[in-house]
Amino acid sequence: MKKNLLVAALLGLGVIASAQADTLAKIKSSSAVTMGVRESSGALSYTVGDGKYAGYHVEICQRVLGDVQKQLKLNKLDIKYQAVTSQNRLPLVVNGTVDIECGSTTNNATRQKDVAFAVTTYVEEVRIATKANSGITSLAQLAGKKVATTTGTTSVQLLRKHERANNVNFEEVFGKDHADSFLLLESGRADAFVMDGSILAGNIANAKNPADFKIVGEVIAVEPIAIMIRKDDPAFKKSVDDSIKKMMKDGTLAKLWDKWFLQPIPPKGNKVGLALSASTKEAWANPNDKPAEEYAKK
């Protein structure tokens, strides 16, 4: 009897794993999908209050899911929004809580062991933000300073590996999310905030006095940022990739870039003012899901 129960339990686990690996079937049967979003990832993904989210990656995902709805011939598709953090985003995708994560996640080789990524939609430059009157203009000047970063991100690791950061000793202070990390800088508890340039620019744009801050120093790293999905689900990955490639080809991504990075955005109507980089244009012209390590080889 116990053996039969064990077999049944194992078969049940197999069914769950199989269901999780077939996201399209899961969406079709429930007419619902859960999108992972961030609360303060610059103009990529952020909250506008009242449980609503906006941003470049949020809108890309909304359009992708619109295409999935058409593909599955669903009369309606209920998009549920689940706020995630740098720490829990991967586990929530892996365990099936989140079907598609639309935040500011770097595609790297380590993460590819557990999850999959759609084709790159944004190539990021990791930079340093400081107060405008700090006098800090380079990596070398971070010696003896407090440097903020967000728990669960790769930025400070990249900073420590940078050749110009050799023998530069600084103290790390951690924010639980990007808004918290920026608050460390804003309140004087940190001298600098090291993070993706778009996130820095977005938080500065929404600060009480944006002119009090500036982005300085060398580019610490170039990283592909992509929409994250479950591993070993080729049908769903193809649907997501095909939708994004279509937006690359027909000019939709360029229009979304202009909308979210160059025009006034809600809720305050501030502009991020981040020009489209040559690296991002290249990623759109030649769609790929290469990890950050491939970019580092250049």
Side-chain angles (χ1 to χ4, degrees):
M1 183 69 177
K2 286 182 179 178
K3 184 178 179 182
N4 289 340
L5 285 172
L6 178 60
V7 170
L10 290 171
L11 286 172
L13 286 172
V15 169
I16 291 169
S18 176
Q20 284 187 2
D22 192 348
T23 307
L24 290 175
K26 179 183 174 185
I27 294 171
K28 188 171 178 65
S29 65
S30 64
S31 294
V33 62
T34 301
M35 185 194 298
V37 286
R38 300 296 296 272
E39 296 193 323
S40 58
S41 282
L44 289 170
S45 182
Y46 66 100
T47 179
V48 289
D50 298 325
K52 294 178 181 176
Y53 295 85
Y56 172 72
H57 265 168
V58 173
E59 187 165 350
I60 289 174
C61 280
Q62 288 167 340
R63 289 169 181 259
V64 166
L65 294 174
D67 285 341
V68 168
Q69 181 181 350
K70 289 175 189 172
Q71 178 187 344
L72 298 176
K73 298 178 181 174
L74 294 172
N75 290 328
K76 68 167 195 168
L77 179 60
D78 179 21
I79 301 177
K80 300 174 182 177
Y81 295 88
Q82 171 70 52
V84 301
T85 67
S86 298
Q87 288 176 289
N88 68 17
R89 56 191 167 177
L90 266 77
L92 290 178
V93 169
V94 171
N95 72 17
T97 302
V98 167
D99 298 308
I100 184 166
E101 194 265 345
C102 311
S104 54
T105 303
T106 299
N107 174 359
N108 64 30
T110 300
R111 289 171 177 163
Q112 282 192 6
K113 293 175 183 175
D114 299 311
V115 296
F117 291 90
V119 290
T120 297
T121 37
Y122 175 56
V123 181
E124 183 62 274
E125 293 180 342
V126 177
R127 301 288 301 278
I128 304 164
T130 66
K131 286 190 174 176
N133 62 3
S134 69
I136 296 171
T137 59
S138 69
L139 290 177
Q141 290 171 305
L142 294 179
K145 304 291 186 184
K146 291 184 177 180
V147 176
T149 195
T150 305
T151 302
T153 62
T154 59
S155 299
V156 164
Q157 297 166 21
L158 293 167
L159 173 59
R160 291 200 181 282
K161 290 177 182 176
H162 197 284
E163 59 187 12
R164 295 193 189 178
N166 285 343
N167 302 315
V168 177
N169 295 311
F170 52 85
E171 179 185 345
E172 294 173 40
V173 288
F174 294 95
K176 66 180 187 298
D177 57 28
H178 299 315
D180 193 37
S181 296
F182 187 74
L183 184 61
L184 292 171
L185 173 63
E186 196 170 30
S187 64
R189 288 174 285 166
D191 302 292
F193 175 20
V194 175
M195 189 48 60
D196 300 350
S198 65
I199 293 171
L200 297 179
N203 278 278
I204 289 171
N206 285 311
K208 292 175 186 174
N209 297 298
D212 289 350
F213 305 92
K214 62 182 179 178
I215 296 173
V216 301
E218 305 86 340
V219 172
I220 295 165
V222 176
E223 299 192 320
I225 308 296
I227 289 157
M228 182 166 59
I229 54 179
R230 273 184 290 284
K231 193 175 175 67
D232 300 325
D233 191 349
F236 186 54
K237 176 167 166 55
K238 184 177 187 308
S239 294
V240 175
D241 282 347
D242 285 351
S243 178
I244 294 171
K245 288 175 184 176
K246 181 182 71 175
M247 286 188 267
M248 289 171 171
K249 194 171 182 179
D250 69 13
T252 299
L253 279 199
K255 289 175 183 174
L256 292 180
W257 186 280
D258 182 76
K259 175 180 177 178
W260 291 106
F261 292 106
L262 299 174
Q263 302 303 321
I265 60 173
K268 295 181 180 179
N270 294 334
K271 289 183 185 179
V272 174
L274 199 66
L276 180 60
S277 70
S279 297
T280 299
K281 284 182 186 175
E282 171 68 17
W284 293 356
N286 300 283
N288 68 85
D289 58 4
K290 293 186 297 186
E293 288 78 4
E294 292 294 316
Y295 284 74
K297 290 177 183 176
K298 290 184 178 181

